[in-house]
Amino acid sequence: MSAMSPGIPRVQQQKTLTTVQKLSHSDVAQALETFKLLIQSCYGPAGHLKTIQNSCGGQVTVTSTASVLVRQLSVSRPFLRLMLAAFEGHVASCSDCGLFCALLMTNLIQSCSELDLHPVLCIDINELMLKLCLDYLNSDDSCRVDVNIADSQTMMSLVRSVISTKPACGLSLRETDLICNLTLQAFLYGLPSSESNISIPSLKYVLVEGRTPMNSHIVEGVLIESPQIPPYTSKGFNLPRQDDGSIKVALFNTSLAGGGESFPDVHLETGEGVTVDRASENHLLTLGSCLVQLRVGLLACQKVVHPCLKRFLRSHGVLTIDRLSLVHIDAVQMVTGARPLGAVQSTIPEDALGVIGNLTHLVLYGKSYMHLQNRCRPVCTYVLCNRTESALEELKIACSAAHHVLAMTLSRPLALPGAGCCEACLAAHLKQQIKAKESDILDDLGCSRLQFKMAADNFIHCIESVARALEHGQNSQVTDDVHHHRWLLPLSQTSPSDWLGQCACGMKSFQAGSDWLLLGCRQQTSDVNHQSGDLIQNRTLDKQPKQKELGKLQSNDTHSPNTPVAGKSTPLVLDSFVAKLNALHVAVDTANVILRIHQTIQDSNS
């Protein structure tokens, strides 16, 4: 006989319910379709915003940014969890092309599961098509563009392609121009002066809510908010300086509060008449004496500094800043060059100390800041303003992503045409390679011509579908057989010269004699398709006026096939080469992994 302790309720053992689902299950297919519609509706500069709130209420998030969607989405199905993990990994490493990665991944999973082919064959052909894509993009004959870091227009196009695709920022055209300029300036300011050190410091932000983005600006050095200093005063700091006018800085990332906080895992024993607090205070005062002897002017600490040490240092003119966050202590380390000290020691090596040129009190929009400056170390603070809290946070994420894209471009100075033109070029190249190498490919795969054609066409269609997803309206999209870029057809009946001037990315101008294909369709046509609602109306242009107009455009098209059109008023749309390549790789690899999964087993009580 066993007895239970009184007051402890007995927990009834619940029966374990295990569910087994396949990729073809109707619930899984519906979940994939919902996820695809969510991603697709956010894609591109005309993407729709999403309002996200948890089931318990709380803060409302308005966004169309991939990194925010990843953090906010909560899914229970194993397939979607795996997809979100890959999606999140790409966004964390590249910051850009996240929605492209998720949309292509979902397209491949959905379409391949619907094909009447064995999943392993689809996987093999997907891997083959991925190899053809990577070989093409890494070759000199591809659509990629060489980026000159000294060319501000090209660099600005990369920044604009990131920031202008975030409608939740709520920027006007003028505000977009200013933010793009400031983001590029902040990146260029942080570039090292010597080639031996190519590390780029992360950008530091001060967020100001309630101001328009036109109030944003860049401040040289680091700003540390100091609420203890009234903003209505003009406070000066008379700190000990070196012979050259600089100020020495000691940086600690451990607690200087004394007592047991400095030694959390150490058991202290003291003699008779000696207390731990008194001994630790003496130890801290010894540290203060060492700092004064070294003529240190600023002590910065990530945690708490004991009041007795503060008083001692203040009496000798040394300023103390404590309770620094991880972001701020990293910024102080960058601007001063100090090595963070992790132990309370009576002697401090001089090579662990840092230096700043000046420290002043700065008031920005009603708040006090300590302004640390050092012209020898290129560090700046981006003062970012926006009207609302959500728009300000979205703008910070967009600027951080643009800064990351510029850093990746510096490591590999290449870019790809944006606005769906890269996808159209990829699709055209794959069609040419399939036609040229079909017999060799069939020998390697060991499948029939029809099976290969079905899987290969499906991959190409998925690529083209991503390009088509950029347009959320009713515009038809075509591609030509010369440049293979993407072109938009207007809804209204306009002259050909109004829309045949430039492609979607702005890099190519129209060439006469081209044959046109509707993007995503296989049959060639000379007609221009006009789409209005569900009605697609073919209209044939007069060939004589057409040739006259196009011949005029062709006579001005003297640029190289892989260089941007000079003198264009419309800015170019460029995507990060590194981010797009990684997104393509992650999308195809993750889709192939999911296609290999025969079924998932999920315990409902886990």
Side-chain angles (χ1 to χ4, degrees):
M1 179 179 294
S2 61
M4 292 185 62
S5 301
I8 301 178
R10 187 169 184 174
V11 179
Q12 185 178 1
Q13 185 70 24
Q14 295 183 358
K15 184 178 179 181
T16 299
L17 178 62
T18 303
T19 58
V20 180
Q21 289 185 346
K22 296 184 179 180
L23 190 59
S24 58
H25 194 277
S26 60
D27 290 344
V28 177
Q30 182 61 37
L32 286 173
E33 181 65 20
T34 303
F35 179 73
K36 174 186 173 181
L37 293 177
L38 170 68
I39 298 299
Q40 185 172 303
S41 62
C42 297
Y43 192 46
H48 303 159
L49 300 179
K50 292 292 174 288
T51 302
I52 305 174
Q53 187 180 31
N54 59 31
S55 59
C56 301
Q59 184 178 1
V60 177
T61 302
V62 180
T63 186
S64 64
T65 304
S67 58
V68 180
L69 288 173
V70 168
R71 294 197 306 265
Q72 298 289 343
L73 288 179
S74 177
V75 297
S76 58
R77 301 191 180 278
F79 291 111
L80 288 178
R81 284 185 178 180
L82 182 57
M83 293 170 62
L84 279 180
F87 179 29
E88 186 175 6
H90 166 75
V91 172
S93 61
C94 295
S95 298
D96 195 24
C97 298
L99 295 179
F100 166 84
C101 174
L103 189 55
L104 178 59
M105 182 195 312
T106 312
N107 284 342
L108 285 172
I109 295 171
Q110 280 187 308
S111 57
C112 289
S113 62
E114 294 171 358
L115 290 177
D116 190 17
L117 296 174
H118 196 281
V120 175
L121 178 60
C122 292
I123 292 169
D124 291 340
I125 295 177
N126 287 344
E127 290 177 350
L128 172 65
M129 303 297 279
L130 174 63
K131 183 179 182 303
L132 292 176
C133 290
L134 297 179
D135 291 343
Y136 168 69
L137 293 177
N138 285 304
S139 67
D140 295 333
D141 298 329
S142 68
C143 60
R144 70 185 189 185
V145 179
D146 293 330
V147 176
N148 185 359
I149 306 300
D151 184 4
S152 61
Q153 294 299 324
T154 306
M155 300 288 283
M156 189 67 67
S157 296
L158 286 168
V159 177
R160 182 181 293 274
S161 297
V162 177
I163 295 178
S164 64
T165 57
K166 305 297 184 292
C169 298
L171 301 178
S172 65
L173 292 177
R174 185 184 175 200
E175 291 167 348
T176 302
D177 291 337
L178 174 68
I179 295 298
C180 291
N181 273 286
L182 292 176
T183 304
L184 181 58
Q185 289 178 29
F187 172 76
L188 295 176
Y189 185 85
L191 291 180
S193 56
S194 61
E195 296 182 359
S196 58
N197 182 16
I198 60 173
S199 62
I200 302 173
S202 59
L203 196 55
K204 306 303 173 186
Y205 294 91
V206 170
L207 304 182
V208 180
E209 181 186 349
R211 301 276 178 166
T212 67
M214 296 302 296
N215 295 116
S216 302
H217 60 280
I218 294 173
V219 178
E220 296 182 6
V222 170
L223 297 180
I224 301 176
E225 188 173 352
S226 303
Q228 70 275 12
I229 305 176
Y232 52 82
T233 62
S234 178
K235 184 176 179 60
F237 300 104
N238 186 18
L239 306 179
R241 293 179 179 265
Q242 306 302 305
D243 296 337
D244 58 356
S246 61
I247 302 171
K248 281 188 178 182
V249 180
L251 184 62
F252 284 85
N253 58 6
T254 188
S255 175
L256 298 180
E261 294 186 14
S262 301
F263 315 99
D265 299 325
V266 177
H267 179 70
L268 300 176
E269 294 184 2
T270 60
E272 184 178 355
V274 180
T275 63
V276 175
D277 292 338
R278 186 59 183 170
S280 61
E281 287 182 14
N282 292 335
H283 189 65
L284 290 174
L285 292 176
T286 304
L287 171 65
S289 301
C290 178
L291 294 175
V292 171
Q293 291 178 2
L294 294 173
R295 298 180 66 187
V296 171
L298 174 64
L299 169 65
C301 182
Q302 180 182 348
K303 298 184 180 180
V304 180
V305 178
H306 197 282
C308 74
L309 180 58
K310 284 185 178 181
R311 287 194 299 267
F312 176 81
L313 294 176
R314 190 185 306 119
S315 64
H316 290 81
V318 181
L319 179 65
T320 302
I321 305 176
D322 61 349
R323 301 179 186 271
L324 291 175
S325 64
L326 287 174
V327 175
H328 281 139
I329 197 168
D330 180 56
V332 172
Q333 182 181 359
M334 286 194 306
V335 75
T336 63
R339 188 173 76 242
L341 299 171
V344 182
Q345 47 196 20
S346 56
T347 58
I348 299 176
E350 286 204 44
D351 58 354
L353 301 177
V355 174
I356 55 174
N358 196 14
L359 191 151
T360 58
H361 173 223
L362 183 65
V363 178
L364 283 176
Y365 305 114
K367 290 186 178 181
S368 291
Y369 296 89
M370 290 185 186
H371 186 196
L372 283 67
Q373 305 173 64
N374 188 357
R375 295 189 178 275
C376 298
R377 303 182 72 86
V379 179
C380 66
T381 301
Y382 198 163
V383 180
L384 204 56
C385 306
N386 214 334
R387 300 171 181 86
T388 63
E389 181 183 0
S390 61
L392 181 60
E393 186 62 30
E394 189 86 355
L395 184 58
K396 178 190 174 184
I397 294 172
C399 293
S400 301
H403 187 269
H404 193 182
V405 164
L406 292 175
M408 291 188 297
T409 305
L410 187 64
S411 63
R412 193 169 185 186
L414 295 171
L416 290 172
C421 289
C422 176
E423 289 85 341
C425 291
L426 268 178
H429 174 75
L430 292 175
K431 293 175 184 177
Q432 294 172 358
Q433 291 296 305
I434 290 172
K435 189 174 181 180
K437 302 179 179 180
E438 186 175 13
S439 58
D440 295 336
I441 293 174
L442 291 176
D443 292 339
D444 294 337
L445 292 176
C447 63
S448 67
R449 188 182 303 272
L450 178 60
Q451 289 174 326
F452 171 70
K453 189 69 174 173
M454 288 174 60
D457 287 348
N458 176 71
F459 188 94
I460 295 172
H461 179 71
C462 290
I463 292 284
E464 292 177 330
S465 296
V466 176
R468 291 184 61 85
L470 286 166
E471 297 300 320
H472 301 272
Q474 299 173 348
N475 288 32
S476 296
Q477 305 169 53
V478 295
T479 180
D480 66 293
D481 65 340
V482 177
H483 302 305
H484 305 296
H485 279 227
R486 188 176 75 99
W487 308 71
L488 299 179
L489 302 186
L491 291 175
S492 59
Q493 300 280 349
T494 58
S495 170
S497 59
D498 295 336
W499 56 269
L500 292 179
Q502 288 177 275
C503 65
C505 72
M507 290 180 59
K508 303 299 178 184
S509 59
F510 181 74
Q511 184 168 336
S514 300
D515 288 326
W516 295 93
L517 278 92
L518 281 171
L519 192 63
C521 297
R522 302 176 187 175
Q523 294 187 353
Q524 210 169 29
T525 180
S526 304
D527 299 335
V528 178
N529 296 313
H530 177 67
Q531 182 175 353
S532 178
D534 294 331
L535 176 64
I536 300 179
Q537 195 176 30
N538 293 333
R539 57 186 175 91
T540 306
L541 300 176
D542 190 328
K543 295 190 180 295
Q544 287 301 108
K546 176 181 177 181
Q547 292 295 334
K548 182 178 179 180
E549 289 286 342
L550 301 183
K552 180 180 179 181
L553 287 172
Q554 185 184 15
S555 64
N556 295 328
D557 186 21
T558 58
H559 61 280
S560 170
N562 287 328
T563 56
V565 181
K568 296 294 184 183
S569 58
T570 305
L572 300 181
V573 181
L574 298 177
D575 287 338
S576 168
F577 181 84
V578 177
K580 183 60 74 72
L581 233 65
N582 191 72
L584 183 64
H585 219 301
V586 170
V588 179
D589 287 348
T590 306
N592 287 344
V593 168
I594 292 178
L595 290 173
R596 287 184 185 275
I597 299 174
H598 180 62
Q599 60 187 19
T600 61
I601 303 174
Q602 187 175 10
D603 186 353
S604 61
N605 292 329
S606 59

